[in-house]
């Protein structure tokens, strides 16, 4: 099949590699000059809301998907009659607005932190009263990698928080002193067949994902996560891979957000699972049955942000994925996956790689 992918970043690149292995070809649409996925297939260089370019893409392809969350839903609506778009734009609409997203979790009885919508300074004042401090103020739209967020720890920070984020649609959220963070990755195909990966434990710094480890060996948490995932997939009549980010606090899961796409926290599945998240997304949107999601041993992933240190390049235990992007501070340039026979050995390898990354940043 010809698959049209909106967005040609590293996720598009890895989707493209998986699609190629499954015998498909990919076309992309992306506004940037030399996007990572240009290595895998032709890119129409255009804005994500360029109706003409989107129509050209739809004409060239049998099915459309997206790897980027901020594609305007209205632009997709215009081409929805031309070719199937998976995941359904309705899922994207919820994921683009933190308020709609949280209301969706609530309506599915998926536990989440307390929250209120904030549009005015008075709303924020009320939020402090009802939620308490600390709380985190977030823009409802367009946030990623921790951007568009302000943690309010004391009432003195009120003005600073409002200055940083005020004037946009916001949401105030209870600050969760979580034990750790996890993500659940699930897939559903056109026929409604589903599969889920084991839970992945994620570590963030400055709002950016740094490391992932799988599996999380906690059967009770896995059951909770699977229940939440199945409800989300069903409700959204979902097709493709969906990622749910959660906090673990006192043995319970609290939903943070979901992404209607393959996810950085699932990159370990390329080497660490029978079928990668990328292959499963492609299988799902092309009408095939999802492949086995079993984990082989203990997997981990370390993100390479801002630069790829020479020591990380030379490392012979892990598997380096270099997206081919120009180095820039805070930019995800690649990742290294490790797969080990024990969690201890996996953690040793991750610590070694993290030291390379930290040492290089400190220099
Ligand atoms: N309510 C919260 N309580 C505690 N930590 C939070 C909360 N919200 C966000 N964080 C921290 O900030 C990170 C990024 O926030 P998130 O809501 O996932 O936004 P983004 O869209 O930038 O990924 C989270 O992974 C978590 O580490
Ligand atoms: Mg997040």
């Amino acid at each position: 099949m010809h698959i049209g992918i909106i967005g040609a970043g590293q996720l598009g690149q890895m989707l493209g590699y998986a699609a190629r292995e499954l015998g498909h070809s990919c076309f992309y649409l992306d506004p940037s000059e030399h996007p990572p996925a240009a290595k895998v297939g032709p890119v129409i260089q255009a804005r994500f809301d360029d109706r003409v370019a989107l129509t050209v893409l739809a004409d060239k392809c049998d099915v459309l998907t997206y790897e980027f969350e901020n594609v305007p839903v209205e632009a997709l609506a215009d081409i929805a009659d031309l070719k199937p778009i998976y995941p359904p734009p309705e899922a994207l609409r919820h994921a683009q607005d933190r308020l709609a997203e949280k209301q969706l979790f609530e309506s599915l009885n998926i536990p989440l932190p307390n929250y209120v919508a904030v549009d005015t300074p008075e709303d924020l004042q009320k939020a402090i009263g009802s939620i308490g401090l600390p709380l985190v103020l977030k823009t409802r739209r367009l946030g990623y990698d921790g951007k568009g967020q302000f943690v309010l720890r004391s009432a003195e920070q009120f003005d600073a928080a409002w200055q940083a984020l005020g004037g946009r649609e916001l949401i105030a959220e209870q600050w969760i002193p979580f034990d750790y963070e996890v993500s659940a990755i699930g897939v559903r195909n056109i026929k409604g067949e589903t599969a889920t990966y084991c839970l992945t434990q994620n570590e963030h710094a400055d709002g950016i994902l740094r490391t992932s480890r799988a599996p999380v060996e906690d059967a009770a948490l896995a059951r909770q996560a699977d229940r939440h995932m199945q409800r989300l997939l069903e409700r959204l009549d979902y097709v493709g891979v969906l990622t749910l980010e959660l906090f673990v606090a006192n043995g319970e899961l609290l939903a943070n957000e979901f992404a209607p796409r393959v996810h950085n926290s699932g990159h370990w599945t390329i080497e660490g699972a029978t079928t990668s998240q990328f292959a499963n997304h492609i299988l799902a949107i092309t009408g095939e049955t999802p492949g086995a999601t079993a984990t082989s041993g203990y997997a981990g992933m370390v993100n390479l942000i801002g630069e790829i240190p020479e020591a990380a390049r030379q490392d012979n235990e892990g598997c380096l994925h270099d997206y081919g992007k120009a180095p820039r501070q805070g930019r995800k340039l690649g990742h290294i996956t490790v797969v080990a026979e024990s969690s201890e050995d996996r953690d040793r390898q991750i610590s070694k790689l993290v030291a390379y990354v930290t040492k290089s940043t400190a220099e």
Side-chain angles (χ1 to χ4, degrees):
M1 277 194 182
H2 296 301
I3 301 172
I5 304 185
I6 303 170
Q10 64 267 20
L11 300 179
Q13 183 187 67
M14 290 183 270
L15 281 169
Y17 290 140
R20 199 154 71 184
E21 275 193 25
L22 291 164
H24 306 294
S25 58
C26 293
F27 289 86
Y28 296 89
L29 185 149
D30 196 288
S32 37
E33 197 76 47
H34 299 290
K39 282 186 186 166
V40 202
V43 183
I44 301 171
Q45 194 183 347
R47 286 165 48 115
F48 292 120
D49 60 354
D50 182 329
R51 264 51 173 194
V52 176
L54 284 165
T55 306
V56 171
L57 185 74
D59 283 343
K60 281 181 183 298
C61 297
D62 304 299
V63 58
L64 297 166
T65 187
Y66 46 89
E67 58 108 72
F68 177 70
E69 246 162 285
N70 292 319
V71 179
V73 177
E74 308 75 46
L76 291 186
D78 284 355
I79 52 166
D81 290 343
L82 302 177
K83 295 288 158 62
I85 305 174
Y86 301 125
E90 187 58 10
L92 185 62
R93 192 177 68 74
H94 281 92
Q96 282 178 348
D97 179 357
R98 292 191 194 275
L99 184 62
E101 187 176 41
K102 287 176 193 303
Q103 288 167 343
L104 175 69
F105 291 148
E106 253 181 335
S107 75
L108 292 170
N109 282 325
I110 298 175
L112 75 166
N114 294 328
Y115 70 93
V116 289
V118 168
D119 294 320
T120 63
E122 293 72 43
D123 291 342
L124 181 56
Q125 202 55 262
K126 276 192 215 146
I128 294 174
S130 62
I131 296 175
L133 292 173
L135 64 72
V136 51
L137 193 61
K138 300 181 182 178
T139 55
R140 272 168 58 179
R141 295 172 189 280
L142 300 173
Y144 71 99
D145 286 347
K147 294 184 175 58
Q149 301 195 9
F150 193 105
V151 182
L152 247 150
R153 297 186 184 279
S154 69
E156 288 87 74
Q157 290 175 296
F158 187 99
D159 289 340
W162 194 256
Q163 212 153 37
L165 300 178
R168 284 171 280 181
E169 292 180 317
L170 304 173
I171 196 157
E173 220 177 278
Q174 176 190 10
W175 180 255
I176 305 296
F178 53 74
D179 299 320
Y180 57 100
E181 290 185 84
V182 296
S183 54
I185 301 179
V187 59
R188 183 174 184 270
N189 73 0
I190 298 164
K191 287 178 267 180
E193 295 170 310
T194 64
T196 52
Y197 289 92
C198 63
L199 278 177
T200 301
Q201 179 170 346
N202 301 313
E203 206 182 352
H204 295 82
D206 303 324
I208 306 184
L209 181 68
R210 305 291 160 154
T211 64
S212 295
R213 294 160 216 255
V216 173
E217 293 179 297
D218 185 322
L221 283 188
R223 274 195 302 275
Q224 284 181 44
D226 267 355
R227 232 179 6 248
H228 301 338
M229 177 59 70
Q230 296 296 348
R231 286 181 193 163
L232 268 173
L233 293 174
E234 289 295 321
R235 168 68 68 85
L236 295 168
D237 197 14
Y238 200 84
V239 176
V241 162
L242 181 146
T243 307
L244 177 61
E245 294 181 22
L246 309 123
F247 303 126
V248 180
N250 307 318
E252 295 294 322
L253 291 175
L254 293 173
N256 175 29
E257 60 173 355
F258 80 92
R261 54 170 171 79
V262 288
H263 196 260
N264 195 169
S265 66
H267 288 359
W268 63 266
T269 60
I270 298 181
E271 288 82 15
T274 312
T275 314
S276 77
Q277 62 166 348
F278 302 99
N280 258 333
H281 185 74
I282 300 295
L283 288 168
I285 68 169
T286 54
E288 304 291 330
T289 302
T293 49
T295 319
S296 20
Y298 292 82
M301 190 263 345
V302 176
N303 262 343
L304 302 169
I305 296 164
E307 64 167 323
I308 301 184
E310 199 45 40
R313 270 194 202 284
Q314 300 300 330
D315 186 78
N316 52 17
E317 282 187 304
C319 181
L320 170 70
H321 297 253
D322 179 349
Y323 311 146
K325 289 158 82 172
R328 196 203 302 150
Q329 205 196 343
R331 197 175 204 199
K332 290 175 181 168
L333 301 181
H335 71 268
I336 298 187
T337 313
V338 301
V339 181
E341 282 179 13
S342 67
S343 61
E344 292 77 16
D345 192 38
R346 185 258 329 267
D347 292 344
R348 173 192 63 77
Q349 293 190 47
I350 288 190
S351 300
K352 175 190 65 178
L353 293 168
V354 166
Y356 293 158
V357 173
T358 325
K359 181 161 178 285
S360 153
T361 327
E363 276 166 3

